[in-house]
Amino acid sequence: MYFPSKKSVIFGGLMWGGLTIGLIAVISEMDWVGTVIISISLVFWGWVWFSTGYKIDENFLVIKSGPIKAKIPIKEITKIYKTRNPVSSAALSLDRLAIVFGKNYDEVIISPVDEDKFINELRKINSKIIVAK
C-alpha cells in the first residue's frame, strides 16, 4: 500500500519560488553557468517533490524521496510519535511522524497524507508498535 507525503504549501512555495526566482535572475544576467546549476537544482527538487512517499511492501516500510531509498523491517518498529522537528528528512511538510526502530533506536521522520491509515496498516503487521500522540 502506497502513502504519498503531505506537501506543505509554504515549504513548496519557498523551494519552488526561490529556485524559480533564481533561474529568472541568472537568465536575465545571461549567466549560463548559473542557469545550468539552477536548472539542475529545479530538476532535482522536482524529483524529490513528486517522488516522496512511503510504501508498505509485505513486511517492510519502504521510504523513497528522490534518489534516497530506505527499507525498514516493520517488525523492528517500536514507536511512532508526532513531531514538527524541521530536521532534513523524507517529509515535505512539518506535520510529521517520527518512527523509532531497530536495536539502536534509530529514527526516521516522514509525513504521510493519511497518518491514521498509515499507522493502522503498520500495526496490522506489528501490533507491538507504541503510538504516542
Side-chain angles (χ1 to χ4, degrees), residues 52-91:
T52 299
Y54 323 104
K55 184 177 180 184
I56 296 174
D57 188 16
E58 295 181 18
N59 292 318
F60 291 92
L61 170 59
V62 179
I63 299 168
K64 188 167 182 332
S65 183
I68 299 168
K69 188 175 181 181
K71 196 172 183 179
I72 299 168
I74 295 171
K75 293 288 186 186
E76 291 186 12
I77 297 174
T78 57
K79 183 178 180 181
I80 299 174
Y81 64 93
K82 289 184 180 255
T83 183
R84 294 191 60 80
N85 187 337
V87 71
S88 180
S89 66

